[in-house]
Amino acid sequence: QVQLQQWGAGLLKPSETLSLTCAVYGGSFSGYYWTWIRQPPGKGLQWIGEVIQTGKATYNASLRSRVNMLVDTSRNQFSLKLDSVTAADTALYYCARGYWMVGPRDRPQYFFDSWGQGTLVTVSS
Amino acid sequence: SSELTQDPAVSVALGQTVRITCQGDHLRTYYASWYQQKPGQAPLLVSHGKNNRPSGIPDRFSGSSSGNTASLTITGAQAEDEADYYCHSRDSSGHHVVFGGGTKLTVL
């Protein structure tokens, strides 16, 4: 049973860099899309981006200029950095494991089957 | 704005059946997945693909899909099913992820 455990600073000042790390326990690191998702207080889920084992990352266009995701395969960890944070970046941040299933003659499916516990990041002066 | 559209709120009487829907053109290309989120908890995958339930998810949860609409049906809703439900898919390019805005389910 895979488990994701995340950590990072919870209180930042405007213009600082958000930094979170997620460790993967009990499962393979390859073959999955390692993802960061956030949820502003009282609002819905927003995909930040994903990174795969090779280090190739894809980001939400609205955050692309400020985001960097890395993998450390030796430790089965992946990380998120978000530069120049503002109050609008205040949210619960989750790491998650994404998985593709593609069957013959059927639509592909993609889903997040494991989530971290979440880290509340507050940006305030 | 979300590229997957969900009703903001739905209610159901205890023990009755409720369907939560999600609409979007991306769903013609990819199946949706569904997540249940209770206050203070991380989202939990409850259905994915044509009608797949992860281990431990009660069989009263079922997923379906037709055209550009995905549905999550709860047959015999229980008090513990009261939660926010989010649908999710890849976008039409397959390169990005989209979420619905979420549906708050109230069990009366």
Side-chain angles (χ1 to χ4, degrees):
Chain A
Q1 179 84 359
V2 65
Q3 289 191 341
L4 276 59
Q5 177 123 24
Q6 58 182 103
W7 64 89
L11 181 61
L12 297 173
K13 294 185 183 336
S15 81
E16 292 184 333
T17 295
L18 180 156
S19 181
L20 297 174
T21 301
C22 185
V24 181
Y25 299 104
S28 171
F29 202 71
S30 66
Y32 296 97
Y33 286 63
W34 303 104
T35 303
W36 291 97
I37 293 161
R38 71 181 184 179
Q39 185 172 35
K43 295 190 177 180
L45 302 170
Q46 181 187 30
W47 178 74
I48 301 171
E50 64 195 17
V51 63
I52 60 176
Q53 184 189 14
T54 61
K56 181 181 187 304
T58 307
Y59 305 132
N60 186 316
S62 68
L63 299 169
R64 185 177 298 140
S65 63
R66 299 193 289 132
V67 172
N68 192 30
M69 293 183 186
L70 299 174
V71 293
D72 182 344
T73 56
S74 66
R75 298 183 180 185
N76 275 17
Q77 294 177 2
F78 61 106
S79 63
L80 166 69
K81 289 192 188 301
L82 181 66
D83 294 330
S84 305
V85 297
T86 70
D89 296 310
T90 293
L92 250 178
Y93 286 73
Y94 293 102
C95 59
R97 185 176 81 166
Y99 185 63
W100 279 99
M101 284 181 68
V102 182
R105 295 186 299 276
D106 202 359
R107 275 176 277 169
Q109 54 178 294
Y110 178 80
F111 51 90
F112 300 115
D113 62 354
S114 186
W115 295 67
Q117 78 275 22
T119 300
L120 178 61
V121 176
T122 302
V123 181
S124 174
S125 56
Chain B
S1 65
S2 173
E3 296 175 65
L4 294 177
T5 302
Q6 297 182 243
D7 291 328
V10 170
S11 62
V12 61
L14 184 67
Q16 296 303 300
T17 297
V18 62
R19 176 179 292 179
I20 300 169
T21 61
C22 173
Q23 285 190 303
D25 286 342
H26 311 312
L27 300 180
R28 298 183 188 277
T29 307
Y30 301 101
Y31 280 114
S33 56
W34 290 93
Y35 304 85
Q36 176 193 70
Q37 187 180 34
K38 297 181 180 179
Q41 297 184 17
L44 174 69
L45 178 69
V46 295
S47 179
H48 63 91
K50 190 174 289 186
N51 182 13
N52 302 118
R53 272 189 318 278
S55 173
I57 302 301
D59 61 6
R60 63 179 179 270
F61 290 88
S62 62
S64 61
S65 178
S66 177
N68 73 337
T69 301
S71 301
L72 177 70
T73 300
I74 308 174
T75 303
Q78 302 299 303
E80 61 263 33
D81 300 334
E82 188 163 286
D84 294 326
Y85 290 85
Y86 294 92
C87 65
H88 150 256
S89 175
R90 304 290 290 201
D91 72 0
S92 296
S93 75
H95 296 310
H96 296 90
V97 164
V98 290
F99 283 100
T103 297
K104 183 175 184 59
L105 176 66
T106 300
V107 180
L108 303 171

